[in-house]
Amino acid sequence: MSTAALAAISLAAACSSDSSRQEPIDPVVGAEVEDGKDKDEGEDAATDDWSAQLDPGAATKTSLREHELGEAWVIDPERLDAPRKLAIDQAEARGYTVINLGDSWRPYIFTHKTPGVEDFSENVYASHYTGLANDRVDNDGDTLAEHEHNYLELYGIPPSLSVVIDEWQSIPALEQCLEDAGYDRSVFDPSIGNIAFKKKAGSKRLRSWRWARTKLEKEMRSAGMGDAAAAKDYAAAAEHPDTKRAYEYFQTFDREVQVIRHAQIRFRCESLFNERDGQGKFTAGDYDSGTHHALANFEKKHDLMGWGHFKAENIAFLGRSPTEAVHQRLVRVLGERTISAAGVIEDGSARDWKPDFQFTDGEGESHGLRDLSGEYTEATLAALGLDDPQSALARLGELGELATAAEDAPEGAFGELLVAVRLPALPAYYSEDMAFDVVIDRGDIWYDFPWDDEGNKRGQPRKRYPHLTLYVTYEGQRIPLVHWRTTIGSWRTELIDGQEYYAYKNSDVGDRVWQTIMAAPVWIPPASTPTGSLTKLKNVDGRMRRVVNYDETGPGYKSAYGLVAAYHVKLHERKDGTITTYDNGIRTHGSVDYMSILRRFSHGCHRLYNMNAVRMFSMVLQHRSYTRKGQTTIGAGRSFEYKDRSYTMKLDTRGYEFELVEPIPVKVTEGRVRGSRTSPYTEPMPKPGVDYSEDEEELPPGEAPGEVEPSVPVGGF
């Protein structure tokens, strides 16, 4: 690789990523820096060879100095003609943050060892995580076909840079496909409003559009505009007094139909129709089931939360060029790597919640809350020259050459690459052992049964939704870091003696702690779990076959507990001074069902988006003392029959366990209780419209139906 190409990847100067370190050291001269000037002004920076060995101090938990590469690429913006490698500990000692851009990257919760500590313990899910990120395997561990992709950002697994480069290199073919099909990005106007998917509504809309078009063309010909009608130049009818009304009526359908039609072109060219599931066929302009599922795939690919309905956000994104879209994906990928390397969590949510909040540092200066995630991502993009969509691919290629320069580097992969960048200074409250605490506000609570005696649904509106806030205490000040939507328990269906009832799944109120953090947690189905839910249909060698369903049990992003979970336990001190714990099965955990976090309820647990749960618990472990207990070993499972076939489910682990030395206090508030009841029902309630007469005859007189173990954990997910 040429020196000029390497030099183009410049790194921006800023402050150390570890506020506990010594004064920042100038990377060129190795002298202390004050007010942007060398304290030793007599030394010639241009001739220094970086030979000075600085004391790196003890390894922090964000350090990469134990990485097998041993060196990181540092390119000084003041010496663009001399890019060089530097030992990781020396780069860190000089105030750089070392970021892993390689294909083997994974979040901190999936590491095998704590930097500076001899506690290696294999984290089993780590290899599967990187396999998913690199589009090598699917959730079941089966090899992906060459044309298949995992779009898992919404589930906490961003793609590797190799995947991003491959996607970027396919853009010319994608753009040619779009051009050949007459793709027009200008039709994607977010002001058009929502276009919701409803069965048969799409075909009805298309018929109305055709009728309105025929009527408009007829009136255009009557008004002497036959040539325009033949050329389908309908805009010519917009101002003519004889055709204006017909044109406006036609437009009420045409705007939506054009959005659908051109979205279908985009989905086809991006291979987002589910051909294998028989949903690859569609009628142009008809918002049918296949298009609905293709839109959902588009949302997953581009990290857009939605249900496969056309809304302002995804309509606007469809208006982006393929280059702009893949660049946004690159931004998100680099953001995750940067946030992980820096060990930060602040994303602006706390700042938006408390815009006027100020804290005072040790020097008496006041500071507001920040979006460190955004700031640090922007700094990394600028440092690596990846902030311009039009030139980013070339920059990625140069970085890729660095990654594959070694003789043993895997062909065609982004390989292993560590880069050292300077990031903005951390806030003063950062340290190796931060005093965290958590408040979960349950928001508006309704304990009333949600149906009346006639079986009509009762309105139970919520204006105040549940939120989780992570705080740190610094110099006597309690500072919010993130403020995120979460879930609480409510009424859920429950099988009792083969009949469906409703039971209130309460979220415990009061003081709890997080002590156990489980990466890739496993949910063990109780004996009452219906056997049908323990199997699934899967395409095996071109045929649909029924297999054991490990999706909900995990480990994996689809599991009931997502990619990471913290156990809520209550501590009790006995008279002899010993501490006992009470675990009611409540967890704070990630969730594959990302839309439920905005609107719905859980079985008692506090759900977070998988990506947020991974970020938060990684950051907590990076700034809190813990014991790495490693992969738990159990021998759970069951044999069962379903539709005259025998199956065996085997679960050999509960996940990878970290135990905090000092638990983190968690306070779950009562919230704002609304309605007539002030406490939850403790017994199951009959479901409206269900005939329980046969079951009731078998019960002793005056006895209510007995509750059996639910099909999810007690208090469950």
Side-chain angles (χ1 to χ4, degrees), residues 281-301:
K281 296 181 180 179
F282 62 89
T283 300
D286 182 356
Y287 192 7
D288 53 18
S289 177
T291 304
H292 174 53
H293 284 87
L295 176 55
N297 289 337
F298 182 85
E299 290 173 332
K300 291 174 184 176
K301 177 178 180 179

Side-chain angles (χ1 to χ4, degrees), residues 582-602:
Y582 170 71
D583 182 355
N584 196 28
I586 303 299
R587 311 283 185 255
T588 293
H589 62 80
S591 176
V592 69
D593 190 3
Y594 48 85
M595 293 302 289
S596 72
I597 295 166
L598 296 177
R599 301 182 182 181
R600 300 201 303 271
F601 298 91
S602 68

Side-chain angles (χ1 to χ4, degrees), residues 461-535:
R462 291 189 294 173
K463 292 184 178 179
R464 185 167 129 193
Y465 286 86
H467 280 81
L468 180 150
T469 307
L470 176 67
Y471 292 89
V472 64
T473 297
Y474 163 76
E475 300 284 343
Q477 303 162 96
R478 195 155 165 263
I479 304 166
L481 302 181
V482 293
H483 181 70
W484 290 337
R485 284 279 286 273
T486 185
T487 59
I488 56 169
S490 185
W491 290 97
R492 311 292 294 199
T493 58
E494 187 169 283
L495 277 178
I496 301 174
D497 298 331
Q499 293 275 31
E500 267 197 340
Y501 288 80
Y502 279 105
Y504 194 91
K505 300 295 183 180
N506 197 33
S507 297
D508 290 348
V509 171
D511 294 326
R512 301 290 188 272
V513 298
W514 289 342
Q515 187 160 27
T516 297
I517 296 174
M518 198 76 77
V522 171
W523 170 63
I524 301 175
S528 59
T529 307
T531 55
S533 67
L534 299 179
T535 68

Side-chain angles (χ1 to χ4, degrees), residues 656-668:
Y656 191 91
E657 184 176 353
F658 300 87
E659 184 174 285
L660 298 174
V661 174
E662 292 291 334
I664 294 176
V666 178
K667 179 181 287 294
V668 183

Side-chain angles (χ1 to χ4, degrees), residues 330-351:
L330 171 66
V331 170
R332 297 190 299 269
V333 169
L334 285 178
E336 290 298 331
R337 305 293 180 94
T338 302
I339 292 163
S340 176
V344 297
I345 186 68
E346 298 90 324
D347 61 355
S349 58
R351 180 192 61 192

